[in-house]
mmCIF file of all heavy atoms in Angstrom:
data_model
loop_
_atom_site.group_PDB
_atom_site.id
_atom_site.type_symbol
_atom_site.label_atom_id
_atom_site.label_comp_id
_atom_site.label_asym_id
_atom_site.label_seq_id
_atom_site.Cartn_x
_atom_site.Cartn_y
_atom_site.Cartn_z
ATOM 1 N N ARG V 390 14.455 -1.759 22.933
ATOM 2 C CA ARG V 390 13.791 -1.965 24.240
ATOM 3 C C ARG V 390 13.808 -0.613 24.934
ATOM 4 O O ARG V 390 14.798 -0.214 25.536
ATOM 5 C CB ARG V 390 14.549 -3.011 25.065
ATOM 6 C CG ARG V 390 13.860 -3.370 26.386
ATOM 7 C CD ARG V 390 14.447 -4.634 26.998
ATOM 8 N NE ARG V 390 15.891 -4.521 27.163
ATOM 9 C CZ ARG V 390 16.503 -3.965 28.228
ATOM 10 N NH1 ARG V 390 15.788 -3.485 29.221
ATOM 11 N NH2 ARG V 390 17.811 -3.892 28.288
ATOM 12 N N LEU V 391 12.668 0.111 24.823
ATOM 13 C CA LEU V 391 12.644 1.521 25.222
ATOM 14 C C LEU V 391 13.088 1.751 26.657
ATOM 15 O O LEU V 391 13.762 2.725 26.953
ATOM 16 C CB LEU V 391 11.252 2.114 25.003
ATOM 17 C CG LEU V 391 10.918 2.416 23.538
ATOM 18 C CD1 LEU V 391 9.492 2.878 23.407
ATOM 19 C CD2 LEU V 391 11.870 3.471 22.981
ATOM 20 N N GLU V 392 12.725 0.812 27.554
ATOM 21 C CA GLU V 392 13.087 1.078 28.961
ATOM 22 C C GLU V 392 14.606 1.011 29.176
ATOM 23 O O GLU V 392 15.117 1.501 30.171
ATOM 24 C CB GLU V 392 12.335 0.142 29.935
ATOM 25 C CG GLU V 392 12.418 -1.339 29.655
ATOM 26 C CD GLU V 392 11.373 -1.793 28.628
ATOM 27 O OE1 GLU V 392 10.858 -0.979 27.837
ATOM 28 O OE2 GLU V 392 11.074 -3.003 28.623
ATOM 29 N N GLY V 393 15.334 0.443 28.178
ATOM 30 C CA GLY V 393 16.787 0.366 28.331
ATOM 31 C C GLY V 393 17.518 1.355 27.444
ATOM 32 O O GLY V 393 18.740 1.277 27.291
ATOM 33 N N ILE V 394 16.787 2.332 26.901
ATOM 34 C CA ILE V 394 17.400 3.220 25.901
ATOM 35 C C ILE V 394 18.524 4.078 26.497
ATOM 36 O O ILE V 394 19.455 4.473 25.804
ATOM 37 C CB ILE V 394 16.309 4.095 25.216
ATOM 38 C CG1 ILE V 394 16.843 4.720 23.920
ATOM 39 C CG2 ILE V 394 15.765 5.154 26.146
ATOM 40 C CD1 ILE V 394 15.756 5.300 23.028
ATOM 41 N N ASP V 395 18.447 4.355 27.819
ATOM 42 C CA ASP V 395 19.498 5.176 28.455
ATOM 43 C C ASP V 395 20.573 4.326 29.114
ATOM 44 O O ASP V 395 21.514 4.851 29.703
ATOM 45 C CB ASP V 395 18.867 6.112 29.501
ATOM 46 C CG ASP V 395 17.936 7.123 28.847
ATOM 47 O OD1 ASP V 395 18.293 7.617 27.756
ATOM 48 O OD2 ASP V 395 16.861 7.393 29.403
ATOM 49 N N ASP V 396 20.425 2.998 29.030
ATOM 50 C CA ASP V 396 21.375 2.091 29.687
ATOM 51 C C ASP V 396 22.489 1.765 28.699
ATOM 52 O O ASP V 396 22.378 0.848 27.890
ATOM 53 C CB ASP V 396 20.599 0.822 30.103
ATOM 54 C CG ASP V 396 21.501 -0.197 30.792
ATOM 55 O OD1 ASP V 396 22.744 -0.007 30.770
ATOM 56 O OD2 ASP V 396 20.965 -1.182 31.335
ATOM 57 N N LEU V 397 23.583 2.555 28.787
ATOM 58 C CA LEU V 397 24.645 2.446 27.780
ATOM 59 C C LEU V 397 25.275 1.060 27.767
ATOM 60 O O LEU V 397 25.637 0.527 26.716
ATOM 61 C CB LEU V 397 25.703 3.536 28.011
ATOM 62 C CG LEU V 397 26.681 3.728 26.852
ATOM 63 C CD1 LEU V 397 25.958 4.032 25.547
ATOM 64 C CD2 LEU V 397 27.684 4.830 27.159
ATOM 65 N N GLU V 398 25.383 0.444 28.949
ATOM 66 C CA GLU V 398 25.997 -0.892 29.028
ATOM 67 C C GLU V 398 25.180 -1.905 28.220
ATOM 68 O O GLU V 398 25.718 -2.695 27.443
ATOM 69 C CB GLU V 398 26.105 -1.356 30.488
ATOM 70 C CG GLU V 398 27.234 -0.667 31.259
ATOM 71 C CD GLU V 398 28.522 -0.555 30.432
ATOM 72 O OE1 GLU V 398 29.067 -1.613 30.032
ATOM 73 O OE2 GLU V 398 28.970 0.584 30.153
ATOM 74 N N ALA V 399 23.847 -1.862 28.411
ATOM 75 C CA ALA V 399 22.966 -2.791 27.687
ATOM 76 C C ALA V 399 23.071 -2.548 26.179
ATOM 77 O O ALA V 399 23.116 -3.503 25.391
ATOM 78 C CB ALA V 399 21.532 -2.610 28.155
ATOM 79 N N VAL V 400 23.145 -1.259 25.808
ATOM 80 C CA VAL V 400 23.239 -0.925 24.389
ATOM 81 C C VAL V 400 24.558 -1.449 23.814
ATOM 82 O O VAL V 400 24.593 -2.042 22.731
ATOM 83 C CB VAL V 400 23.114 0.607 24.168
ATOM 84 C CG1 VAL V 400 23.428 0.978 22.725
ATOM 85 C CG2 VAL V 400 21.716 1.080 24.537
ATOM 86 N N ARG V 401 25.646 -1.287 24.577
ATOM 87 C CA ARG V 401 26.956 -1.770 24.107
ATOM 88 C C ARG V 401 26.950 -3.288 23.928
ATOM 89 O O ARG V 401 27.485 -3.815 22.960
ATOM 90 C CB ARG V 401 28.058 -1.417 25.112
ATOM 91 C CG ARG V 401 28.587 -0.003 24.966
ATOM 92 C CD ARG V 401 29.543 0.279 26.135
ATOM 93 N NE ARG V 401 29.714 1.714 26.310
ATOM 94 C CZ ARG V 401 30.726 2.398 25.777
ATOM 95 N NH1 ARG V 401 31.637 1.788 25.073
ATOM 96 N NH2 ARG V 401 30.826 3.691 25.958
ATOM 97 N N ALA V 402 26.319 -3.972 24.896
ATOM 98 C CA ALA V 402 26.271 -5.444 24.831
ATOM 99 C C ALA V 402 25.499 -5.882 23.581
ATOM 100 O O ALA V 402 25.917 -6.805 22.867
ATOM 101 C CB ALA V 402 25.606 -5.998 26.089
ATOM 102 N N ALA V 403 24.370 -5.200 23.309
ATOM 103 C CA ALA V 403 23.572 -5.543 22.123
ATOM 104 C C ALA V 403 24.369 -5.242 20.849
ATOM 105 O O ALA V 403 24.340 -6.020 19.888
ATOM 106 C CB ALA V 403 22.266 -4.762 22.136
ATOM 107 N N ALA V 404 25.106 -4.117 20.862
ATOM 108 C CA ALA V 404 25.899 -3.734 19.688
ATOM 109 C C ALA V 404 26.979 -4.788 19.423
ATOM 110 O O ALA V 404 27.264 -5.130 18.277
ATOM 111 C CB ALA V 404 26.524 -2.362 19.901
ATOM 112 N N ALA V 405 27.566 -5.324 20.501
ATOM 113 C CA ALA V 405 28.604 -6.347 20.346
ATOM 114 C C ALA V 405 28.005 -7.602 19.713
ATOM 115 O O ALA V 405 28.605 -8.213 18.820
ATOM 116 C CB ALA V 405 29.215 -6.679 21.702
ATOM 117 N N ARG V 406 26.786 -7.972 20.127
ATOM 118 C CA ARG V 406 26.164 -9.186 19.584
ATOM 119 C C ARG V 406 25.754 -8.991 18.127
ATOM 120 O O ARG V 406 25.813 -9.926 17.334
ATOM 121 C CB ARG V 406 24.944 -9.586 20.426
ATOM 122 C CG ARG V 406 25.340 -10.113 21.795
ATOM 123 C CD ARG V 406 24.122 -10.310 22.692
ATOM 124 N NE ARG V 406 23.307 -11.453 22.251
ATOM 125 C CZ ARG V 406 22.101 -11.708 22.727
ATOM 126 N NH1 ARG V 406 21.555 -10.909 23.632
ATOM 127 N NH2 ARG V 406 21.418 -12.760 22.313
ATOM 128 N N GLY V 407 25.324 -7.771 17.786
ATOM 129 C CA GLY V 407 24.903 -7.526 16.403
ATOM 130 C C GLY V 407 26.054 -7.136 15.491
ATOM 131 O O GLY V 407 25.870 -6.967 14.287
ATOM 132 N N GLY V 408 27.245 -6.933 16.086
ATOM 133 C CA GLY V 408 28.416 -6.586 15.278
ATOM 134 C C GLY V 408 28.511 -5.107 14.947
ATOM 135 O O GLY V 408 29.301 -4.702 14.107
ATOM 136 N N ALA V 409 27.703 -4.267 15.660
ATOM 137 C CA ALA V 409 27.728 -2.836 15.330
ATOM 138 C C ALA V 409 28.746 -2.083 16.187
ATOM 139 O O ALA V 409 29.020 -0.908 15.936
ATOM 140 C CB ALA V 409 26.344 -2.228 15.541
ATOM 141 N N ASP V 410 29.317 -2.775 17.214
ATOM 142 C CA ASP V 410 30.222 -2.059 18.130
ATOM 143 C C ASP V 410 31.408 -1.450 17.395
ATOM 144 O O ASP V 410 31.757 -0.286 17.605
ATOM 145 C CB ASP V 410 30.687 -2.966 19.284
ATOM 146 C CG ASP V 410 31.210 -4.322 18.789
ATOM 147 O OD1 ASP V 410 31.034 -4.632 17.576
ATOM 148 O OD2 ASP V 410 31.778 -5.064 19.594
#
Side-chain angles (χ1 to χ4, degrees):
R390 185 166 55 86
L391 284 175
E392 52 276 22
I394 196 166
D395 295 321
D396 180 350
L397 193 56
E398 284 317 299
V400 171
R401 277 173 200 265
R406 289 172 71 191
D410 49 350

